[in-house]
Coordinates of all heavy atoms in Angstrom, one line a residue:
M1499 N 18.7 -18.4 1.6 CA 17.5 -18.8 0.8 C 17.8 -18.4 -0.7 O 18.4 -17.3 -0.9 CB 16.3 -18.0 1.3 CG 15.0 -18.6 0.8 SD 13.5 -17.9 1.4 CE 13.7 -18.2 3.2
T1500 N 17.4 -19.2 -1.6 CA 17.7 -18.9 -3.0 C 16.7 -17.9 -3.6 O 15.7 -17.7 -3.0 CB 17.6 -20.2 -3.8 OG1 16.2 -20.7 -3.8 CG2 18.5 -21.3 -3.2
G1501 N 17.1 -17.4 -4.7 CA 16.2 -16.4 -5.4 C 14.9 -17.1 -5.9 O 13.9 -16.4 -5.9
A1502 N 15.0 -18.3 -6.2 CA 13.8 -19.0 -6.7 C 12.8 -19.1 -5.5 O 11.6 -19.0 -5.7 CB 14.1 -20.3 -7.2
A1503 N 13.3 -19.3 -4.3 CA 12.4 -19.5 -3.2 C 11.7 -18.1 -2.9 O 10.5 -18.0 -2.6 CB 13.2 -19.9 -1.9
W1504 N 12.5 -17.0 -3.0 CA 11.9 -15.7 -2.8 C 10.8 -15.4 -3.9 O 9.8 -14.8 -3.6 CB 13.0 -14.6 -2.9 CG 13.8 -14.5 -1.6 CD1 15.1 -14.9 -1.4 CD2 13.3 -14.0 -0.4 NE1 15.5 -14.7 -0.2 CE2 14.4 -14.1 0.5 CE3 12.2 -13.4 0.1 CZ2 14.3 -13.7 1.9 CZ3 12.1 -13.0 1.4 CH2 13.2 -13.1 2.3
T1505 N 11.1 -15.8 -5.1 CA 10.1 -15.6 -6.2 C 8.8 -16.4 -5.9 O 7.7 -15.8 -6.1 CB 10.7 -16.0 -7.5 OG1 12.0 -15.4 -7.7 CG2 9.8 -15.7 -8.7
W1506 N 8.9 -17.6 -5.5 CA 7.7 -18.4 -5.2 C 7.0 -17.9 -4.0 O 5.7 -17.8 -4.0 CB 8.1 -19.9 -4.9 CG 8.3 -20.6 -6.2 CD1 9.5 -21.1 -6.7 CD2 7.2 -21.0 -7.1 NE1 9.2 -21.7 -7.9 CE2 7.9 -21.7 -8.2 CE3 5.9 -20.9 -7.1 CZ2 7.1 -22.2 -9.2 CZ3 5.1 -21.4 -8.2 CH2 5.8 -22.0 -9.2
M1507 N 7.7 -17.3 -3.0 CA 7.1 -16.8 -1.8 C 6.3 -15.5 -2.2 O 5.2 -15.2 -1.8 CB 8.0 -16.5 -0.7 CG 8.5 -17.7 0.0 SD 9.5 -17.5 1.5 CE 10.5 -16.1 1.2
A1508 N 6.9 -14.7 -3.1 CA 6.2 -13.5 -3.6 C 5.0 -13.9 -4.4 O 4.0 -13.2 -4.3 CB 7.2 -12.7 -4.4
F1509 N 5.1 -14.9 -5.2 CA 3.9 -15.4 -5.9 C 2.8 -15.8 -5.0 O 1.6 -15.4 -5.2 CB 4.3 -16.5 -6.9 CG 3.2 -17.1 -7.6 CD1 2.5 -16.4 -8.6 CD2 2.7 -18.4 -7.3 CE1 1.4 -17.0 -9.3 CE2 1.6 -19.0 -7.9 CZ 1.0 -18.3 -8.9
F1510 N 3.1 -16.6 -4.0 CA 2.0 -17.0 -3.0 C 1.5 -15.8 -2.2 O 0.3 -15.7 -2.0 CB 2.6 -18.1 -2.1 CG 2.7 -19.4 -2.8 CD1 3.9 -20.1 -2.8 CD2 1.7 -20.0 -3.6 CE1 4.1 -21.3 -3.5 CE2 1.9 -21.2 -4.3 CZ 3.0 -21.8 -4.2
A1511 N 2.3 -14.8 -1.9 CA 1.9 -13.7 -1.2 C 0.9 -12.9 -2.1 O -0.1 -12.3 -1.7 CB 3.0 -12.8 -0.8
L1512 N 1.2 -12.8 -3.4 CA 0.4 -12.1 -4.4 C -1.0 -12.8 -4.4 O -2.0 -12.2 -4.4 CB 1.0 -12.1 -5.8 CG 0.1 -11.5 -6.9 CD1 0.0 -10.0 -6.7 CD2 0.8 -11.7 -8.2
L1513 N -1.0 -14.1 -4.5 CA -2.3 -14.9 -4.4 C -3.1 -14.6 -3.2 O -4.3 -14.4 -3.3 CB -2.0 -16.4 -4.6 CG -1.5 -16.9 -6.0 CD1 -1.3 -18.4 -6.0 CD2 -2.5 -16.5 -7.1
L1514 N -2.4 -14.6 -2.1 CA -3.1 -14.3 -0.8 C -3.7 -12.9 -0.8 O -4.8 -12.7 -0.3 CB -2.2 -14.5 0.4 CG -1.8 -15.9 0.7 CD1 -0.7 -16.0 1.8 CD2 -3.1 -16.7 1.2
L1515 N -2.9 -11.9 -1.2 CA -3.4 -10.6 -1.3 C -4.6 -10.4 -2.2 O -5.6 -9.7 -2.0 CB -2.3 -9.6 -1.7 CG -1.3 -9.3 -0.6 CD1 -0.1 -8.5 -1.3 CD2 -1.9 -8.5 0.5
M1516 N -4.5 -11.1 -3.4 CA -5.7 -11.0 -4.3 C -6.9 -11.7 -3.8 O -8.0 -11.2 -3.9 CB -5.3 -11.7 -5.6 CG -4.2 -10.9 -6.4 SD -3.6 -11.8 -7.9 CE -5.1 -11.9 -8.9
G1517 N -6.7 -12.8 -3.0 CA -7.8 -13.5 -2.4 C -8.5 -12.6 -1.3 O -9.7 -12.5 -1.1
A1518 N -7.6 -11.9 -0.5 CA -8.1 -11.0 0.6 C -8.8 -9.9 0.0 O -9.9 -9.4 0.5 CB -6.9 -10.5 1.4
R1519 N -8.3 -9.3 -1.1 CA -9.0 -8.2 -1.8 C -10.3 -8.6 -2.3 O -11.3 -7.9 -2.2 CB -8.1 -7.6 -2.9 CG -8.8 -6.4 -3.5 CD -8.1 -5.9 -4.8 NE -8.8 -4.8 -5.4 CZ -9.9 -4.9 -6.1 NH1 -10.4 -6.0 -6.3 NH2 -10.4 -3.8 -6.6
A1520 N -10.4 -9.8 -2.9 CA -11.7 -10.3 -3.5 C -12.7 -10.5 -2.3 O -13.8 -10.1 -2.5 CB -11.5 -11.6 -4.2
W1521 N -12.2 -11.0 -1.2 CA -13.1 -11.2 -0.1 C -13.7 -9.9 0.4 O -14.8 -9.7 0.8 CB -12.4 -12.0 1.0 CG -13.3 -12.2 2.2 CD1 -14.2 -13.1 2.3 CD2 -13.2 -11.5 3.4 NE1 -14.8 -13.1 3.5 CE2 -14.2 -12.0 4.3 CE3 -12.5 -10.5 3.9 CZ2 -14.5 -11.6 5.5 CZ3 -12.8 -10.0 5.2 CH2 -13.7 -10.5 6.0
V1522 N -12.8 -8.9 0.6 CA -13.2 -7.6 1.1 C -14.2 -6.9 0.1 O -15.2 -6.3 0.5 CB -11.9 -6.6 1.3 CG1 -12.3 -5.2 1.5 CG2 -11.1 -7.2 2.5
V1523 N -13.9 -7.0 -1.2 CA -14.8 -6.4 -2.2 C -16.2 -7.1 -2.2 O -17.2 -6.4 -2.2 CB -14.2 -6.5 -3.6 CG1 -15.2 -6.2 -4.7 CG2 -13.0 -5.6 -3.7
E1524 N -16.2 -8.4 -2.0 CA -17.5 -9.1 -2.0 C -18.3 -8.9 -0.8 O -19.5 -9.1 -0.8 CB -17.3 -10.6 -2.3 CG -16.8 -10.9 -3.7 CD -17.8 -10.5 -4.8 OE1 -19.0 -10.7 -4.6 OE2 -17.4 -10.0 -5.8
T1525 N -17.6 -8.7 0.4 CA -18.3 -8.6 1.6 C -18.6 -7.1 2.0 O -19.1 -6.8 3.1 CB -17.6 -9.3 2.7 OG1 -16.3 -8.8 2.9 CG2 -17.5 -10.8 2.5
S1526 N -18.2 -6.2 1.1 CA -18.3 -4.8 1.4 C -19.8 -4.3 1.4 O -20.5 -4.7 0.5 CB -17.5 -3.9 0.5 OG -17.7 -2.6 0.7
T1527 N -20.1 -3.5 2.3 CA -21.5 -3.0 2.3 C -21.7 -1.8 1.3 O -22.8 -1.5 0.9 CB -21.9 -2.5 3.7 OG1 -21.0 -1.5 4.1 CG2 -21.9 -3.6 4.7
G1528 N -20.6 -1.1 1.0 CA -20.7 0.0 0.1 C -20.5 -0.4 -1.4 O -20.4 0.4 -2.3
R1529 N -20.7 -1.7 -1.7 CA -20.5 -2.2 -3.0 C -21.6 -1.7 -3.9 O -21.3 -1.4 -5.1 CB -20.5 -3.8 -2.9 CG -20.2 -4.5 -4.2 CD -20.0 -5.9 -4.0 NE -20.9 -6.5 -3.0 CZ -21.5 -7.6 -3.1 NH1 -21.4 -8.3 -4.2 NH2 -22.3 -8.0 -2.2
A1530 N -22.8 -1.6 -3.5 CA -23.9 -1.3 -4.3 C -23.8 0.2 -4.8 O -24.2 0.5 -5.9 CB -25.2 -1.4 -3.6
E1531 N -23.2 1.1 -4.1 CA -23.0 2.5 -4.5 C -21.9 2.6 -5.4 O -21.6 3.7 -5.9 CB -22.9 3.4 -3.3 CG -24.1 3.5 -2.4 CD -24.2 2.3 -1.4 OE1 -23.2 1.7 -1.1 OE2 -25.3 2.1 -0.9
G1532 N -21.0 1.6 -5.6 CA -19.9 1.7 -6.5 C -18.7 2.4 -5.9 O -17.8 2.8 -6.7
R1533 N -18.6 2.6 -4.6 CA -17.5 3.3 -4.0 C -16.7 2.3 -3.2 O -17.3 1.4 -2.5 CB -18.0 4.4 -3.1 CG -18.9 4.1 -2.1 CD -19.5 5.3 -1.4 NE -20.7 4.8 -0.6 CZ -20.8 4.6 0.6 NH1 -19.6 4.8 1.3 NH2 -21.8 4.2 1.2
G1534 N -15.4 2.4 -3.3 CA -14.6 1.5 -2.6 C -14.2 2.0 -1.2 O -14.2 3.2 -1.0
T1535 N -14.0 1.1 -0.3 CA -13.6 1.4 1.0 C -12.1 1.6 1.1 O -11.4 1.3 0.2 CB -14.0 0.3 2.0 OG1 -13.3 -0.9 1.7 CG2 -15.5 0.0 2.0
G1536 N -11.6 2.1 2.3 CA -10.2 2.2 2.4 C -9.4 0.9 2.4 O -8.3 0.9 1.9
R1537 N -10.1 -0.1 2.9 CA -9.4 -1.5 2.9 C -9.3 -1.9 1.4 O -8.2 -2.5 1.1 CB -10.2 -2.4 3.6 CG -10.1 -2.3 5.1 CD -10.9 -3.3 5.9 NE -12.3 -3.1 5.6 CZ -13.3 -3.9 6.0 NH1 -13.0 -4.9 6.8 NH2 -14.6 -3.6 5.8
Q1538 N -10.3 -1.6 0.6 CA -10.1 -2.1 -0.8 C -9.0 -1.4 -1.5 O -8.2 -2.0 -2.3 CB -11.5 -1.8 -1.6 CG -12.6 -2.6 -1.1 CD -13.9 -2.3 -1.9 OE1 -13.9 -1.4 -2.7 NE2 -15.0 -2.9 -1.4
K1539 N -8.9 0.0 -1.3 CA -7.8 0.7 -1.9 C -6.5 0.3 -1.4 O -5.5 0.2 -2.2 CB -8.1 2.2 -1.6 CG -9.4 2.7 -2.4 CD -9.6 4.2 -2.0 CE -10.9 4.6 -2.7 NZ -11.3 6.0 -2.3
A1540 N -6.4 0.0 -0.1 CA -5.1 -0.4 0.4 C -4.7 -1.8 -0.1 O -3.5 -2.0 -0.5 CB -5.2 -0.5 2.0
L1541 N -5.6 -2.7 -0.2 CA -5.3 -4.0 -0.8 C -5.0 -3.9 -2.3 O -4.2 -4.7 -2.8 CB -6.5 -5.0 -0.5 CG -6.5 -5.5 0.9 CD1 -7.8 -6.3 1.2 CD2 -5.3 -6.4 1.2
T1542 N -5.7 -3.0 -3.0 CA -5.4 -2.9 -4.4 C -4.0 -2.3 -4.6 O -3.2 -2.9 -5.4 CB -6.4 -1.9 -5.0 OG1 -7.7 -2.4 -4.9 CG2 -6.1 -1.7 -6.6
A1543 N -3.6 -1.4 -3.8 CA -2.2 -0.9 -3.8 C -1.2 -2.0 -3.4 O -0.1 -2.1 -4.1 CB -2.0 0.3 -2.9
S1544 N -1.5 -2.8 -2.4 CA -0.7 -3.9 -2.0 C -0.5 -4.9 -3.2 O 0.6 -5.4 -3.4 CB -1.2 -4.6 -0.8 OG -1.3 -3.7 0.3
V1545 N -1.6 -5.2 -3.8 CA -1.5 -6.2 -5.0 C -0.6 -5.6 -6.1 O 0.2 -6.4 -6.6 CB -3.0 -6.5 -5.5 CG1 -2.9 -7.2 -6.8 CG2 -3.7 -7.4 -4.5
A1546 N -0.8 -4.3 -6.4 CA 0.0 -3.8 -7.4 C 1.5 -3.8 -7.0 O 2.4 -4.1 -7.9 CB -0.4 -2.3 -7.7
G1547 N 1.8 -3.5 -5.8 CA 3.2 -3.5 -5.3 C 3.8 -4.9 -5.3 O 4.9 -5.0 -5.7
M1548 N 3.0 -5.9 -4.9 CA 3.5 -7.3 -4.9 C 3.7 -7.7 -6.3 O 4.6 -8.5 -6.6 CB 2.5 -8.2 -4.1 CG 3.1 -9.6 -3.9 SD 4.7 -9.6 -3.1 CE 4.3 -9.1 -1.5
L1549 N 2.8 -7.3 -7.2 CA 3.0 -7.7 -8.6 C 4.3 -7.1 -9.2 O 5.1 -7.8 -9.9 CB 1.8 -7.3 -9.4 CG 1.8 -7.7 -11.0 CD1 1.9 -9.1 -11.1 CD2 0.7 -7.1 -11.7
A1550 N 4.6 -5.9 -8.8 CA 5.9 -5.3 -9.3 C 7.1 -6.0 -8.7 O 8.1 -6.3 -9.4 CB 5.9 -3.8 -8.8
V1551 N 7.0 -6.4 -7.4 CA 8.1 -7.1 -6.8 C 8.2 -8.5 -7.5 O 9.4 -8.9 -7.7 CB 7.8 -7.4 -5.2 CG1 8.7 -8.4 -4.6 CG2 7.9 -6.0 -4.5
L1552 N 7.2 -9.2 -7.8 CA 7.2 -10.5 -8.4 C 7.9 -10.4 -9.8 O 8.7 -11.2 -10.2 CB 5.8 -11.1 -8.5 CG 5.7 -12.4 -9.2 CD1 6.5 -13.5 -8.4 CD2 4.3 -12.9 -9.3
I1553 N 7.5 -9.4 -10.5 CA 8.1 -9.2 -11.8 C 9.6 -8.9 -11.8 O 10.4 -9.5 -12.5 CB 7.4 -8.0 -12.6 CG1 6.0 -8.5 -13.0 CG2 8.2 -7.6 -13.9 CD1 5.1 -7.4 -13.6
V1554 N 10.0 -8.1 -10.8 CA 11.5 -7.8 -10.6 C 12.2 -9.1 -10.2 O 13.3 -9.4 -10.8 CB 11.7 -6.7 -9.6 CG1 13.1 -6.6 -9.2 CG2 11.2 -5.4 -10.2
L1555 N 11.7 -9.9 -9.3 CA 12.3 -11.1 -8.9 C 12.4 -12.1 -10.0 O 13.4 -12.8 -10.2 CB 11.5 -11.7 -7.7 CG 11.7 -11.1 -6.4 CD1 10.8 -11.6 -5.3 CD2 13.1 -11.2 -5.9
A1556 N 11.4 -12.2 -10.8 CA 11.4 -13.1 -11.9 C 12.4 -12.7 -13.0 O 13.1 -13.6 -13.5 CB 10.0 -13.2 -12.6
V1557 N 12.6 -11.5 -13.2 CA 13.6 -11.0 -14.2 C 15.0 -11.3 -13.7 O 15.8 -11.8 -14.4 CB 13.4 -9.5 -14.5 CG1 14.6 -8.9 -15.2 CG2 12.1 -9.3 -15.3
F1558 N 15.2 -11.0 -12.4 CA 16.5 -11.3 -11.8 C 16.9 -12.7 -11.7 O 18.0 -13.1 -11.6 CB 16.6 -10.6 -10.4 CG 16.9 -9.1 -10.5 CD1 16.3 -8.3 -9.6 CD2 17.8 -8.6 -11.4 CE1 16.5 -6.9 -9.7 CE2 18.0 -7.2 -11.5 CZ 17.4 -6.4 -10.6
N1559 N 15.9 -13.6 -11.7 CA 16.1 -15.0 -11.6 C 16.0 -15.8 -12.9 O 15.6 -16.9 -12.9 CB 15.2 -15.6 -10.5 CG 15.5 -15.2 -9.1 OD1 16.6 -15.5 -8.7 ND2 14.6 -14.6 -8.4
G1560 N 16.4 -15.2 -13.9 CA 16.5 -15.9 -15.2 C 15.4 -15.5 -16.2 O 15.3 -16.0 -17.3
G1561 N 14.5 -14.6 -15.8 CA 13.4 -14.2 -16.7 C 13.9 -13.5 -17.9 O 13.4 -13.7 -19.0
A1562 N 14.9 -12.7 -17.8 CA 15.5 -12.0 -18.9 C 16.1 -13.0 -19.9 O 16.0 -12.8 -21.2 CB 16.5 -10.9 -18.5
T1563 N 16.8 -14.0 -19.4 CA 17.4 -15.0 -20.3 C 16.3 -15.8 -21.0 O 16.4 -16.1 -22.1 CB 18.3 -15.9 -19.4 OG1 19.3 -15.1 -18.8 CG2 18.9 -17.0 -20.3
L1564 N 15.2 -16.1 -20.2 CA 14.1 -16.8 -20.9 C 13.5 -16.1 -22.0 O 13.2 -16.6 -23.1 CB 13.1 -17.2 -19.8 CG 11.8 -17.8 -20.3 CD1 12.1 -19.2 -20.9 CD2 10.8 -17.9 -19.2
V1565 N 13.2 -14.8 -21.8 CA 12.6 -14.0 -22.8 C 13.6 -13.9 -24.0 O 13.2 -14.0 -25.2 CB 12.3 -12.6 -22.3 CG1 11.9 -11.6 -23.4 CG2 11.2 -12.7 -21.3
S1566 N 14.9 -13.7 -23.8 CA 15.8 -13.7 -24.9 C 15.9 -15.0 -25.6 O 15.9 -15.0 -26.9 CB 17.2 -13.4 -24.3 OG 18.2 -13.4 -25.3
M1567 N 15.8 -16.1 -24.9 CA 15.8 -17.4 -25.6 C 14.6 -17.6 -26.4 O 14.6 -18.1 -27.6 CB 16.0 -18.5 -24.6 CG 17.3 -18.6 -24.0 SD 17.5 -19.8 -22.7 CE 17.1 -21.3 -23.6
L1568 N 13.4 -17.2 -25.9 CA 12.2 -17.3 -26.7 C 12.2 -16.4 -27.9 O 11.7 -16.8 -29.0 CB 11.0 -16.9 -25.8 CG 10.6 -17.8 -24.7 CD1 9.5 -17.3 -23.8 CD2 10.2 -19.2 -25.2
L1569 N 12.7 -15.2 -27.8 CA 12.8 -14.3 -29.0 C 13.8 -14.8 -30.0 O 13.7 -14.6 -31.2 CB 13.1 -12.9 -28.6 CG 12.0 -12.2 -27.7 CD1 12.5 -10.8 -27.3 CD2 10.7 -12.1 -28.5
N1570 N 14.9 -15.5 -29.6 CA 16.0 -15.9 -30.5 C 15.9 -17.4 -30.9 O 16.9 -17.9 -31.3 CB 17.3 -15.6 -29.8 CG 17.5 -14.1 -29.6 OD1 17.1 -13.3 -30.5 ND2 18.2 -13.8 -28.6
G1571 N 14.8 -18.0 -30.7 CA 14.7 -19.4 -31.1 C 15.4 -20.4 -30.2 O 15.9 -21.4 -30.7
G1572 N 15.6 -20.2 -29.0 CA 16.2 -21.1 -28.0 C 17.7 -21.0 -27.9 O 18.3 -21.8 -27.3
K1573 N 18.3 -20.1 -28.6 CA 19.8 -19.9 -28.5 C 20.1 -19.1 -27.2 O 19.6 -18.0 -27.0 CB 20.3 -19.1 -29.7 CG 20.1 -19.9 -31.0 CD 20.6 -19.1 -32.1 CE 20.3 -19.9 -33.4 NZ 20.5 -19.0 -34.6
V1574 N 21.0 -19.6 -26.4 CA 21.4 -19.0 -25.2 C 22.3 -17.8 -25.6 O 23.2 -17.9 -26.4 CB 22.2 -19.9 -24.3 CG1 22.7 -19.3 -23.0 CG2 21.4 -21.2 -23.9
P1575 N 22.0 -16.6 -25.0 CA 22.9 -15.5 -25.3 C 24.3 -15.7 -24.9 O 24.7 -16.5 -24.0 CB 22.3 -14.4 -24.3 CG 20.9 -14.8 -24.0 CD 21.0 -16.3 -24.1
A1576 N 25.2 -15.1 -25.7 CA 26.7 -15.3 -25.6 C 27.2 -14.9 -24.2 O 28.2 -15.5 -23.7 CB 27.4 -14.6 -26.6
D1577 N 26.6 -13.9 -23.5 CA 27.1 -13.5 -22.2 C 26.6 -14.3 -21.1 O 26.9 -13.9 -19.9 CB 26.8 -12.0 -22.0 CG 25.3 -11.7 -22.0 OD1 24.6 -12.6 -22.5 OD2 24.9 -10.6 -21.6
T1578 N 25.9 -15.3 -21.3 CA 25.4 -16.2 -20.3 C 26.4 -17.2 -19.8 O 27.0 -17.9 -20.7 CB 24.1 -16.9 -20.7 OG1 23.1 -15.9 -21.1 CG2 23.5 -17.8 -19.6
T1579 N 26.6 -17.3 -18.5 CA 27.6 -18.3 -18.0 C 26.8 -19.4 -17.4 O 25.9 -19.3 -16.6 CB 28.4 -17.6 -16.9 OG1 29.1 -16.5 -17.4 CG2 29.5 -18.6 -16.4
V1580 N 27.2 -20.7 -17.7 CA 26.6 -21.9 -17.2 C 27.4 -22.3 -16.0 O 28.6 -22.5 -16.1 CB 26.5 -23.0 -18.3 CG1 26.0 -24.3 -17.7 CG2 25.8 -22.6 -19.5
V1581 N 26.7 -22.4 -14.8 CA 27.4 -22.7 -13.6 C 26.7 -24.0 -13.0 O 25.5 -24.1 -13.0 CB 27.2 -21.6 -12.6 CG1 27.9 -22.0 -11.2 CG2 27.9 -20.3 -13.1
T1582 N 27.5 -25.0 -12.6 CA 27.0 -26.2 -12.0 C 26.9 -26.0 -10.6 O 27.2 -25.0 -10.0 CB 27.9 -27.4 -12.4 OG1 29.2 -27.1 -11.9 CG2 27.9 -27.6 -13.9
D1583 N 26.6 -27.1 -9.8 CA 26.4 -27.0 -8.4 C 27.7 -26.6 -7.6 O 27.6 -25.8 -6.7 CB 25.9 -28.3 -7.9 CG 24.4 -28.6 -8.2 OD1 23.7 -27.6 -8.6 OD2 24.1 -29.8 -8.3
N1584 N 28.8 -27.1 -8.1 CA 30.0 -26.8 -7.4 C 30.8 -25.7 -8.0 O 31.9 -25.3 -7.5 CB 30.9 -28.0 -7.3 CG 31.3 -28.6 -8.7 OD1 30.9 -28.0 -9.7 ND2 32.0 -29.7 -8.7
G1585 N 30.3 -25.0 -9.0 CA 31.0 -23.9 -9.6 C 31.9 -24.2 -10.7 O 32.5 -23.4 -11.4
A1586 N 32.2 -25.6 -10.9 CA 33.2 -26.0 -11.9 C 32.4 -26.1 -13.3 O 31.2 -26.2 -13.4 CB 33.8 -27.3 -11.6
A1587 N 33.2 -26.1 -14.4 CA 32.7 -26.3 -15.7 C 32.1 -27.7 -15.8 O 32.6 -28.6 -15.2 CB 33.8 -26.0 -16.8
P1588 N 31.1 -27.9 -16.6 CA 30.5 -29.2 -16.8 C 31.5 -30.1 -17.4 O 32.3 -29.8 -18.3 CB 29.3 -29.0 -17.7 CG 29.2 -27.6 -18.0 CD 30.4 -26.9 -17.3
A1589 N 31.5 -31.4 -17.0 CA 32.4 -32.4 -17.5 C 32.0 -32.8 -18.9 O 30.8 -32.9 -19.2 CB 32.5 -33.6 -16.6
A1590 N 32.9 -33.2 -19.7 CA 32.6 -33.7 -21.1 C 32.0 -35.1 -20.9 O 32.3 -35.9 -20.1 CB 33.9 -33.8 -21.9
P1591 N 31.0 -35.4 -21.8 CA 30.3 -36.7 -21.8 C 31.3 -37.8 -22.1 O 32.2 -37.6 -23.0 CB 29.2 -36.6 -22.7 CG 29.5 -35.5 -23.7 CD 30.4 -34.6 -22.8
A1592 N 31.1 -39.0 -21.5 CA 31.9 -40.1 -21.9 C 31.6 -40.7 -23.3 O 30.4 -40.6 -23.7 CB 31.7 -41.2 -20.8
P1593 N 32.6 -41.2 -24.0 CA 32.3 -41.7 -25.4 C 31.5 -43.0 -25.2 O 31.6 -43.7 -24.3 CB 33.7 -42.0 -26.0 CG 34.6 -42.0 -24.8 CD 34.0 -41.2 -23.7
P1594 N 30.6 -43.2 -26.2 CA 29.8 -44.4 -26.1 C 30.6 -45.7 -26.3 O 31.6 -45.7 -27.1 CB 28.8 -44.2 -27.3 CG 29.4 -43.3 -28.3 CD 30.3 -42.4 -27.4
A1595 N 30.2 -46.7 -25.6 CA 30.9 -48.0 -25.7 C 30.4 -48.8 -26.8 O 29.1 -48.9 -27.0 CB 30.8 -48.8 -24.4
N1596 N 31.3 -49.3 -27.7 CA 30.8 -50.1 -28.9 C 30.9 -51.6 -28.6 O 31.5 -52.2 -28.1 CB 31.6 -49.7 -30.1 CG 31.3 -48.3 -30.6 OD1 30.3 -47.8 -30.2 ND2 32.1 -47.8 -31.4

């Protein structure tokens, strides 16, 4: 499985955890007193952990290069290697026909 697939799965898991936490908070009977239940605290910790995992996965899958390109006006950093599907260098474009 590719790194991008892991990143998307972590994103959807984060959305599910946030939805579950929202449901627990809204249906809690202790909501009026302002105290959270153990489930709320556990889901809050799970959301924070999944957010950290998502950030790490995004950085490892090109997020650092993206931030560098945004800060440097779209220039690819010199230490970045461009790899095609088969691992070979990209072919030169054909000259235009006149």
